[in-house]
């Protein structure tokens, strides 16, 4: 059975030493989370993840969710009680303003807690994650009455929330959606249509479910300009806040999936369900886009979280499994064989995963802080600058963390040899669970197109120019620092590759858009490597400064892991650049029926 | 539901045009397979795979195998009848000599047929594949009496065969094995111990199962030098060939695995089971090694086969799924959206899989022909030369085809978006099934070590020198041919990377063996890319020659796919070389408990 230990030391190092959390004390909520409060939150979250959620991870995979003939859905044994504890512990309302029953703490803290929960039990964490997403959407776009009616009960864990976008014939291309809304005399709407892939669409954890649903108002324009957002409670809510009649929405089926079995993925049938407009008519997609950064950040963290827990279990197996001898001669001559961690190839596998995990975690914190600044700063220019970087880097984080996070679960499984293929050992579940994160919340190919097609050119490239300036300054400032040089020189080179690629795309994408599409995935990964290189630079700098106060194993390991990144992973930027420059020509030569 | 169409045209192109099958007519069996016979075999195999095996693939995944309380195992619905048809069609004895009931045809034909069967139903194909492996072992090492007693019934599909190597505490390191054999007065042995991960260890397809078992004779040396090979029938065979009493071997459990559910993976308990020595005492591991090339070739083909069927289903989905518009403007303005195959990123994904599949298939045929020459030529030097290349390239084929074959199933699944994650659509089964091939028959890290540690230095590097000479001559001979230059110039460059890496490993591996271990996986993939580049060179040359007789879509597509390989995949050799040259230093710095 796999185990999990939340990386609390690494989180503290990032918050305190690398990103200087306390310097954001001018932002709302930050002064409520000084070091001792943060420590307590982190430790409690770790305990909850390790002791309550992790033991339910395999149970959830084995049992899955079951739909009854009446359309009800039963979640795996223990999920109900765990969800109750999650709500009681206040974890659902960490960032929600106090006015709606939350604690108003920084988004950054919610993300580091989120990583722990997802590592422990990804399928379970989706029930709360989507509820928090629905709360965020209502906070930004809901009327005051809607916020009051729904959010406090969602934060308290009495009600949950879902997002209903996809239909059988449309996922990426929401302009095709058919679910319709008919306006009623009382100002409400009647919603009819079929939604698929609705995570937590039906469950037995909460007494009500607040569905946020994209639909087209009768007579609205075709395409994305005719889509509106509605709130559709499973059970109607009376004016006094008590529950009324069952609404016309039901779970028609649950999907049999590769993984995340513990989360119910539902086909939702809307049959004249009563719904209420959220925000303005025909602006539903905008409403969704506003909260997309946070949702994609959350999915990116799923990639990291599965990679982290897979790493831990691969490392512990490698320390214990006795098989063969070290190439340099027996390391444990008193034992029948050496532990396989003596082998450079096993160490390479583990250290590359670790070099990813720690950079990804740093990127998560870095961007979460940007998100906090973008939402909470009182300085409009500061907000704009933070939002620029956030918007630019979010598709990178989502695509790169989930692509590599998945690949890392596969690599970690490989360390277990044949035993990694056996369900009881849990390594293969990490692979199956992590796989979905590359797909949903915008498949990674779409993230790459968003980066290249929308985020790069936006505001005449203001965001990417700011990113180059930030990383470029770090390189320049540290190039002369002896202990930093081995890390920043390669970073400078890779930054050059990224700048060349950016120019190439701007020029060649303008003359032929397919050139941008052909290079998008490589560009996203090139961008990710440079960002990771920057994160490693920041971490090395913080570690070097701390080392002056005395050595520690954590800091030494940090520096070795940084070297692995620079030696083995960062140089890949050259190959990405070459592939981008290959352009679209060859790819577009064949007619469709020759594939 | 996924579908499958065997790539018969591509196989014919390889056999007839690229590798000139008929020039091997001096070898036993080849003249029995002229073009019309080959065509008939290929077409019949395609039909059997497409019509009988493929429809059972999802059934096998859903039902899995069930063990009864009596230790019997029930295979999925339809497998019994399909196995009967497989035997009746003569597919089990394609290469077995006529003296033992087979047809004595070339190994090369069996491999191309094997690819079809595995694409259609990997779990099913393992029952026959392991039976053929056991037959091969008996052919090489068994006594005449053993061959007569077992092989004809195995070829006829009345009996099946298995390989019993792994034990709970030892997989890679067989020197640790504990299963013991006690010699009896009649010359037989009593075998006792527990074997795990035994594919087809128990099943209901055949009336008997012939287990080949590695065990240590009482009093034999510790380690690999004390291991012997035994044949242990599930049901004892009387001198007249009829079945006798049940032997002391039984299935104690079946594993719950990530994939290949249709194949029973058994824990086998040997309790004083009657067994007979195969070959010499204490030479059991040698006996296994002799047949390892063919077994690893077969597992490598599993990687290719899953990649091929995943490709086909991704391509057909991409042609049909309407979503969004082409970046260059609507391609199907009469439809609500364009098929996603208009997108360069989707084409890139598909063409890279295809460029792998076709090179991998060529490599399979190339090495199968080497195997045929190594076993059937009457010229000792020819046999040695063929065996050199075969031994050198087999770990490359096994590791590279299964690593990339798996990655390709993941990429193909991604083309399906959210629908790829749903079990009913079958794409996720390809991923789960393909995953095992990276692990068994020597995990890919072991393949890399075999290549670097054993195959490179063997006979003072004779094999790798021959490989360099073969590829080098091809580059030199075609460098001046105008239509070939765009393909051989990059190949020459990548061959240079491989030669540099080889020298680096020989020098730095000698002074510090961990340097060889640290670079092994990258070296294996670098070697694979160069081999693929060579295969593409051979295919392009054959296609160019054929094009003089008239254009065809197949040949044009071949040339476009070759360009994709050269533009986007072959250049990766530079990054592999750089990582190899990074050496083991950083990887070995940390103590084990810091992981």
């Amino acid at each position: 059975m796999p185990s999990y230990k939340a990386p609390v030391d690494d989180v503290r190092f990032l918050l305190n030493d690398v990103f200087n959390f306390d310097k954001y004390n001018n932002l709302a909520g930050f002064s409520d989370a000084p070091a001792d409060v943060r420590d307590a939150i982190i430790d409690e979250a770790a305990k909850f993840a390790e002791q309550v959620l992790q033991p339910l991870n395999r149970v959830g995979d084995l049992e899955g969710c079951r739909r009854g003939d009446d359309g009800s859905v039963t979640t795996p044994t223990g999920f109900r009680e765990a969800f109750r504890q999650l709500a009681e512990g206040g974890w659902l309302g960490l960032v929600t303003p106090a006015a709606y029953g939350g604690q108003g703490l920084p988004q950054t803290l919610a993300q580091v807690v989120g990583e722990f929960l997802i590592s422990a039990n990804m399928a379970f964490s989706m029930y709360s994650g989507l509820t928090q997403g629905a709360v965020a959407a209502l906070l930004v776009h809901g009327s005051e009455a809607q916020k009051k009616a729904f959010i406090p009960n969602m934060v308290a864990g009495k009600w949950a929330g879902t997002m209903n976008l996809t239909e059988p014939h449309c996922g990426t291309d929401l302009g095709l959606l058919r679910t319709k809304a008919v306006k009623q005399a009382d100002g409400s709407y009647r919603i009819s249509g079929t939604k698929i892939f609705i995570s937590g669409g039906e469950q037995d954890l909460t007494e009500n479910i607040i569905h946020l649903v994209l639909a087209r108002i009768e007579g609205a324009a075709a395409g994305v300009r005719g889509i509106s957002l509605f709130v559709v409670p499973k059970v109607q809510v009376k004016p006094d806040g008590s529950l009324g009649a069952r609404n016309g929405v039901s779970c028609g089926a649950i999907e049999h999936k590769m993984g995340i079995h513990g989360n119910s993925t539902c086909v939702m049938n809307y049959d004249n369900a009563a719904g209420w407009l959220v925000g303005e008519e025909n602006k539903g997609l905008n409403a969704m886009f506003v909260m997309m950064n946070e949702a994609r950040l959350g999915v990116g963290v799923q990639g990291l979280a599965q990679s982290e827990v897979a790493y831990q279990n691969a490392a512990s197996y490698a320390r214990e499994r006795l098989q063969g001898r070290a190439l340099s001669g027996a390391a444990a001559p008193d034992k029948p064989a050496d532990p396989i961690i003596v082998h450079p190839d096993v160490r390479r596998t583990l250290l590359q995963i670790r070099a990813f995990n720690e950079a990804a975690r740093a990127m998560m914190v870095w961007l979460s802080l940007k998100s906090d600044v973008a939402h909470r700063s009182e300085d409009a220019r500061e907000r704009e600058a933070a939002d620029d970087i956030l918007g630019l880097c979010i598709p990178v984080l989502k695509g790169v963390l989930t692509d590599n996070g998945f690949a890392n679960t596969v690599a970690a499984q490989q360390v277990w040899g044949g035993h990694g293929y056996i369900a009881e050992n849990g390594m293969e579940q990490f692979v199956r669970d992590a796989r979905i994160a590359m797909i949903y919340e915008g498949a990674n190919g779409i993230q790459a197109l968003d980066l290249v097609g929308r985020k790069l050119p936006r505001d005449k490239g203001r965001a990417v120019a700011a990113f180059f300036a930030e990383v470029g300054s770090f390189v320049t400032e540290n190039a002369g620092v002896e202990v930093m040089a081995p890390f920043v020189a390669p970073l400078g080179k890779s930054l050059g590759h990224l700048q060349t690629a950016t120019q190439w795309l701007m020029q060649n994408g303008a003359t032929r858009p397919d050139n941008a599409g052909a290079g998008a995935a490589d560009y996203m990964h090139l961008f990710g490597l440079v960002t990771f290189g920057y994160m490693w630079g920041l971490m090395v700098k913080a570690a070097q400064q701390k080392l002056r106060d005395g050595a520690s194993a954590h800091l030494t390991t940090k520096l070795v892991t940084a070297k692995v990144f620079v030696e083995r992973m960062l140089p890949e930027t050259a190959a990405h650049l070459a592939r981008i420059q290959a352009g679209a020509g060859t790819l577009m030569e064949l007619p469709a029926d020759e594939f």
Side-chain angles (χ1 to χ4, degrees), chain A:
Chain A
M1 284 285 288
S3 64
Y4 173 62
K5 195 147 174 19
V8 291
D9 288 345
D10 204 42
V11 164
R12 285 204 183 96
F13 174 69
L14 290 170
L15 294 182
N16 301 339
D17 302 308
V18 179
F19 292 108
N20 195 1
F21 194 88
D22 292 326
K23 88 172 175 207
Y24 295 89
N25 265 343
N26 60 322
L27 303 183
F30 277 73
S31 57
D32 297 332
D36 59 332
V37 173
R38 291 201 299 274
D39 278 352
I41 290 174
I42 292 165
D43 288 341
E44 279 304 306
K47 214 165 79 179
F48 183 71
E50 295 164 5
Q51 297 177 7
V52 178
L53 296 189
Q54 198 277 333
L56 295 176
N57 194 41
R58 179 144 162 76
V59 176
D61 188 56
L62 273 177
E63 291 188 12
C65 296
R66 292 185 307 281
R67 178 181 173 279
D69 292 339
D70 59 353
S72 65
V73 169
T74 310
T75 59
T77 307
F79 273 38
R80 234 180 117 91
E81 171 60 17
F83 196 80
R84 195 189 59 74
Q85 289 184 45
L86 184 82
E88 266 184 11
W91 300 110
L92 286 165
L94 226 45
V95 299
T96 313
Y100 306 107
Q103 296 154 68
L105 291 168
Q107 180 68 32
T108 305
L109 276 183
Q111 287 298 350
V112 301
V113 166
E115 188 206 324
F116 298 172
L117 307 186
I118 301 165
S119 281
N121 195 326
M122 177 163 154
F124 177 91
S125 74
M126 291 172 67
Y127 294 111
S128 50
L130 283 152
T131 299
Q132 289 167 311
V135 166
L138 287 170
L139 273 174
V140 178
H141 301 287
S143 66
E144 190 53 36
Q146 287 171 338
K147 293 183 202 176
K148 287 248 162 69
F150 300 117
I151 297 176
N153 278 327
M154 295 168 82
V155 164
K158 286 175 65 182
W159 302 352
T162 73
M163 313 296 282
N164 291 239
L165 286 74
T166 307
E167 300 182 5
H169 61 288
C170 73
T172 297
D173 187 358
L174 288 169
L176 300 173
L177 76 77
R178 295 178 190 150
T179 297
K180 69 170 184 199
V182 181
K183 194 162 188 172
Q184 307 296 303
D186 66 355
S188 72
Y189 292 78
R190 291 283 159 174
I191 316 284
S192 297
T194 300
K195 295 287 181 177
I196 64 168
F197 301 162
I198 308 308
S199 301
E202 185 57 279
Q203 35 79 355
D204 58 357
L205 306 176
T206 57
E207 63 184 22
N208 201 4
I209 303 175
I210 309 307
H211 302 293
L212 291 181
V213 185
L214 287 184
R216 197 182 302 280
I217 297 173
E218 220 179 16
V224 294
R225 293 205 194 94
I227 299 175
S228 305
L229 180 64
F230 298 90
V231 59
V232 183
K234 169 183 162 186
V235 184
Q236 301 213 34
V237 180
K238 293 191 212 162
D240 68 356
S242 65
L243 294 181
R246 182 69 194 256
N247 205 348
V249 48
S250 62
C251 167
I254 56 177
E255 306 283 2
H256 302 102
K257 315 182 295 288
M258 184 183 195
I260 50 166
H261 293 163
N263 196 272
S264 58
T265 305
C266 301
V267 176
M268 298 303 294
N269 296 323
Y270 289 84
D271 184 12
N272 273 314
W276 288 265
L277 188 68
V278 178
E280 295 176 51
E281 281 187 12
N282 303 325
K283 302 277 187 185
L285 220 57
N286 287 0
M288 281 289 165
F289 267 116
V290 169
M291 49 168 299
M292 208 159 267
N293 282 338
E294 280 70 26
R296 290 182 170 176
L297 181 52
V299 172
V301 173
Q302 293 181 333
L304 159 62
Q306 294 302 293
S307 178
E308 170 66 34
V309 66
Y311 168 83
Q312 292 185 15
N313 286 281
S316 63
Y317 188 79
R319 279 193 302 262
E320 287 159 21
R321 173 75 171 174
L322 303 180
Q323 202 79 180
R325 289 294 182 190
L327 297 172
S328 49
D334 53 319
K335 293 188 180 153
D338 290 338
I340 61 174
I341 197 140
V342 300
H343 294 296
D345 191 56
V346 172
R347 288 172 163 252
R348 178 189 63 78
T349 303
L350 291 173
L351 284 168
Q352 289 189 188
I353 303 177
R354 186 174 183 136
F356 162 87
N357 290 351
E358 295 183 7
R361 186 171 298 119
M363 188 178 181
M364 168 187 80
V365 171
W366 179 60
L367 287 185
S368 296
L369 284 169
K370 299 281 184 197
S371 171
D372 276 322
V373 172
H375 288 107
R376 301 182 185 209
S377 172
E378 291 176 357
D379 179 336
R381 291 185 67 168
E382 223 177 62
R383 285 201 306 272
E384 180 185 275
D387 196 55
D388 275 356
I389 296 289
L390 182 67
L392 177 71
C393 293
I394 278 293
V396 177
L397 177 133
K398 196 278 183 182
V400 171
L401 265 60
T402 60
D403 272 359
N404 292 296
F406 170 76
N408 288 344
T409 62
V410 174
Q413 180 190 21
Q414 189 74 12
V415 172
W416 278 63
H419 299 274
Y421 200 66
I422 304 300
E424 280 80 355
N425 294 323
M427 298 303 290
E428 60 94 37
Q429 185 187 345
F430 300 139
V431 175
R432 289 184 291 102
D433 286 355
R435 182 66 184 88
I436 187 60
M438 295 161 69
I439 299 173
Y440 59 22
E441 201 56 45
N444 287 354
I446 300 300
Q447 303 296 332
L449 276 185
D450 178 50
L451 173 66
V452 165
R454 295 179 65 243
K455 300 298 174 61
L456 279 190
R458 184 192 271 185
D459 303 315
K460 296 181 184 160
R462 190 178 70 205
V464 75
F467 177 84
F468 290 159
E470 182 170 341
V471 182
S473 315
F474 180 82
V475 171
T476 311
E477 283 161 18
N478 292 284
V481 183
E482 200 188 335
V483 292
M484 293 301 295
F487 301 96
V488 295
L491 174 58
K493 194 172 164 191
S494 289
L495 177 62
H497 294 154
L498 182 61
Q499 288 168 321
T500 306
T502 308
Q503 266 191 321
W504 192 95
L505 283 178
M506 289 200 170
Q507 283 161 10
N508 296 279
T511 51
R512 185 178 182 183
D514 281 336
N515 280 324
D522 275 298
Y523 185 79
M524 178 176 78
H525 282 281
L526 167 49
F527 207 115
L529 284 166
V530 171
T531 310
F532 278 20
Y534 177 41
M535 295 297 112
W536 271 115
L538 295 174
M539 288 191 282
V540 167
K541 197 170 176 72
Q544 296 284 11
Q545 276 162 355
K546 262 199 123 173
L547 274 169
R548 285 182 216 144
D549 304 332
S552 87
H554 178 259
L555 296 175
T556 310
T557 301
K558 199 49 111 174
L559 295 178
V560 170
T561 312
K563 277 198 288 181
V564 171
F565 179 79
V566 167
E567 284 176 4
R568 297 185 169 268
M569 297 160 79
L570 188 57
E572 192 68 21
T573 53
H576 286 301
L577 173 60
R579 278 194 292 269
I580 291 163
Q581 290 173 329
T586 307
L587 302 180
M588 305 312 288
E589 281 187 40
L590 295 179
D593 57 8
E594 268 303 304
F595 278 81

